[in-house]
């Protein structure tokens, strides 16, 4: 039996899974990672590649020890990670990204996390250029992407220190650390670093925004100097270096697949899956063409929405179209919500009744989400409401507390709430919890509607991530978006499974001779691996009554109006300030 390892680096932890040929998890371990914040600047989120790497090493070692699988039986591995900016020197040593006197010096805090919003002015400058790069990020570049952050570092770092830096999207740093080969992935440079499909780096763009150093050194600091990038899963270098093999407890030379951003690993680990309905497995084996209709939603701290298409589809406010991030010859678009799981936690934990909720959960030997759902069901019954939508019909929440990623692409958007009362009890907390889930679902529909209006044909949503455990929320998604939602066999395991699939692809492609394989043959191999290794999921179909459907439609209209109102009010304030 052959085994494969997938490593997933999320916002707050690193996870390794050891799987067999059928995608069955043999062992899995997770270890938290450290995030540093700035008490004086809420925009700052920083991490450390050393801390992340130590966590990965620990998880892999524990998987091997628990499973008793021999290192020689692990035939391949790969990584996925958040789209965070990792900075090192050309020896691979970490370079500090924290503002202040240590910026640019060697030191642990060398990752600007995806959620970091320090580069707002840099993003505004980039978005004023009219460059072709903006066409491939939905018309507006997010301050969460790597080039605004790199420009922030240029603007705040000593020039002599800046020129000795390498800049990586985090997935690419991990394969670099594993193999000592700095070849970048098509996924990272195309999706997060302004590498334009078919034409590559745009010298005039970098010169215009003040990053001419990158051009003058033939993009050595960014990689892909001569347009050399690897599509997902292609073998990187000569496999695991001796040092990485010792740190992981694996064999030197074990194939390492080119990595992907975490949401794309969630796509890999779900969209080729069959599903069960009423306990019966669907008969059809999905083809790669079916992926055009399946939106992958990777939902944890934030949510990413990814769909594949034969041709590039341009959607305002939705990132992409990206060419070849996973399959050669295919394009992908990526929508997103910057704060979803984080938003749910915030709304619950900042409510005055939260301590009472915690106490009730402890007394009932349950969890806070079950208690909240029980409270909602009791209120629904007591008020003779047909649905929870009817129960909270007079509460309207617009959820962009951390700005809007899609489909408005406006970091200045903020949250708003209509329907507040003088109630600060548990029932009020439960209602606000339900309205928060509702707002996330309504925004998901907004993203899907915009994608379909511009040329996609999405007919189902394939979930991964922690939110997929929340069945009432998944039913709300299905009802609000008017399409089935497919839940993975293992909500938290789908993302690292996607990375493990790339490890298997690297091993089999290396064995077959990837250089001799055609684009079509490589695609067939990867899709076949995805089909074979994806466990069947469970389908959740829309199930609204006539009244609830009307209420959802009314709430969706109000949701869209809340955007227009916020823009109108912002303009009125700006005019008053002039």
């Amino acid at each position: 039996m052959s085994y494969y390892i997938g490593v997933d680096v999320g916002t707050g932890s690193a996870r390794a899974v050891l799987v067999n040929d059928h995608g069955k998890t043999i062992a899995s371990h997770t270890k938290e990672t450290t995030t540093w914040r700035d008490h004086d600047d809420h925009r700052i989120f920083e991490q450390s590649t050393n801390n992340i790497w130590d966590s990965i090493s620990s998880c892999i070692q524990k998987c091997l020890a628990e499973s008793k699988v021999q290192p020689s039986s692990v035939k391949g591995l790969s990584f996925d990670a958040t789209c965070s900016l990792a900075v090192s020197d050309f020896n691979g040593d970490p370079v500090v990204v924290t503002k202040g006197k240590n910026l640019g010096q060697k030191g642990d805090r060398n990752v600007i996390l995806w959620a970091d919003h320090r580069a707002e002015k840099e993003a505004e400058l980039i978005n004023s250029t009219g460059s072709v790069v903006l066409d491939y990020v939905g018309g507006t570049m997010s301050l969460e992407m790597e080039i605004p952050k790199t420009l922030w570092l240029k603007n705040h770092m000593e020039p002599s220190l800046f020129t000795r830096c390498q800049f990586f999207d985090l997935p690419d740093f991990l394969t670099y650390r594993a193999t000592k080969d700095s070849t970048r992935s098509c996924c990272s440079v195309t999706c997060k670093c302004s590498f334009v499909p078919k034409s590559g780096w745009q010298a005039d763009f970098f010169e215009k925004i003040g990053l001419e150093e990158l051009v003058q050194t033939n993009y050595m600091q960014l990689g892909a100097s001569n347009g050399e990038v690897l599509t997902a899963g292609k073998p990187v270098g000569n496999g695991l270096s001796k040092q990485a093999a010792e740190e992981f407890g694996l064999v030197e030379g074990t194939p390492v697949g080119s990595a992907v951003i975490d949401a794309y690993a969630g796509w890999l680990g779900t969209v080729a899956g069959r599903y069960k309905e009423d306990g019966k497995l669907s008969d059809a084996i999905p083809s790669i063409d079916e992926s055009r209709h399946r939106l992958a939603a990777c939902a944890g701290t934030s949510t990413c929405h990814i769909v594949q298409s034969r041709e590039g589809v341009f959607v305002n406010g939705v990132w992409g179209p990206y060419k070849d991030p996973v399959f050669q010859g295919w394009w992908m678009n990526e929508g997103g919500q910057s704060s979803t799981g984080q938003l749910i936690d915030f709304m619950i934990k900042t409510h005055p009744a939260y301590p009472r909720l915690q106490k009730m959960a402890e007394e009932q030997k349950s969890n806070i989400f079950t208690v909240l759902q029980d409270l909602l069901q009791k209120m629904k019954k007591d008020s003779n409401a047909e649905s929870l939508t009817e129960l909270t019909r007079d509460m309207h929440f617009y959820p962009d507390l951390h700005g809007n990623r899609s489909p408005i692409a406006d970091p200045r958007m903020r949250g708003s709430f209509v329907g507040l009362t003088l109630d600060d009890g548990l029932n009020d907390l439960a209602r606000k919890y339900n309205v928060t889930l509702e707002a996330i679902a309504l925004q998901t529909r907004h993203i899907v509607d915009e994608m379909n209006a511009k040329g996609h044909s999405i007919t189902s949503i394939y979930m991964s991530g922690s939110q997929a455990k929340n069945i009432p929320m998944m039913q709300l998604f299905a009802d609000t978006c008017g399409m089935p939602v497919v839940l993975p066999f293992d909500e938290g395991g789908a993302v690292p499974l996607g990375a493990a699939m790339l490890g298997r692809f690297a091993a089999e492609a290396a064995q077959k001779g990837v250089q001799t394989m055609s684009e079509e043959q490589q695609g067939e191999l990867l899709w076949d691996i995805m089909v074979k290794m994806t466990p069947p999921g469970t389908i959740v179909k829309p199930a609204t009554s006539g009244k609830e459907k009307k209420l959802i439609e009314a709430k969706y209209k109000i949701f869209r109006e809340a955007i227009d109102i916020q823009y109108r009010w912002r303009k009125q304030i700006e005019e008053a300030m002039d």
Side-chain angles (χ1 to χ4, degrees), residues 91-169:
N91 294 320
D93 294 323
V95 172
V96 173
V97 296
T98 308
K99 61 183 177 182
K101 63 180 181 180
N102 292 323
L103 180 64
Q105 303 292 339
K106 288 185 180 181
D108 269 353
R109 288 173 63 168
N110 69 318
V111 177
I112 302 180
L113 191 67
W114 66 268
D116 189 290
H117 280 195
R118 73 182 70 183
E120 184 173 345
K121 289 182 179 179
E122 288 74 14
E124 288 176 357
L125 170 63
I126 289 168
N127 288 320
S128 71
T129 63
S131 171
V132 67
V133 304
L134 301 177
D135 295 341
Y136 294 91
V137 289
T140 304
M141 186 174 292
S142 169
L143 76 175
E144 294 177 1
M145 290 185 171
E146 310 307 8
I147 299 306
K149 291 172 179 173
T150 301
L151 182 56
W152 184 93
L153 291 171
K154 158 75 183 294
N155 290 339
H156 292 82
M157 194 183 289
E158 288 290 332
S160 61
L161 297 178
F162 183 80
T163 55
R164 72 184 184 93
C165 293
Q166 293 189 91
F167 304 101
F168 294 86
D169 195 38

Side-chain angles (χ1 to χ4, degrees), residues 337 389 395-399 407 435-449 476-477 479-481 551-560:
Q337 295 159 287
T389 307
M395 301 175 81
H396 309 287
F397 180 32
Y398 184 76
V435 173
T436 302
L437 304 188
E438 181 183 89
I440 294 169
L442 290 168
Q443 192 165 66
T444 301
R445 176 174 167 180
H446 190 191
I447 293 167
V448 173
D449 282 356
L476 189 55
F477 273 39
D479 293 342
T480 302
C481 296
L551 282 169
I552 289 172
E553 291 303 312
K555 286 212 158 198
Y556 184 55
K557 183 178 179 182
I558 292 166
F559 178 90
R560 297 290 295 265

Side-chain angles (χ1 to χ4, degrees), residues 200-219:
W201 300 123
Q202 304 297 302
D204 60 338
F205 165 69
F206 288 109
E207 289 166 351
K208 193 169 187 178
I209 64 173
L211 284 173
E212 61 280 351
E213 299 95 335
L214 304 183
V215 181
Q216 293 164 1
T217 58
N218 195 26
Y219 307 102

Side-chain angles (χ1 to χ4, degrees), residues 8-13 33-35 45 47 82 113-115 262 301-302:
D8 167 44
V9 177
T11 300
S13 64
T33 52
T34 301
T35 299
F45 294 78
Q47 293 187 335
T82 63
L113 191 67
W114 66 268
D262 52 0
T301 304
S302 61

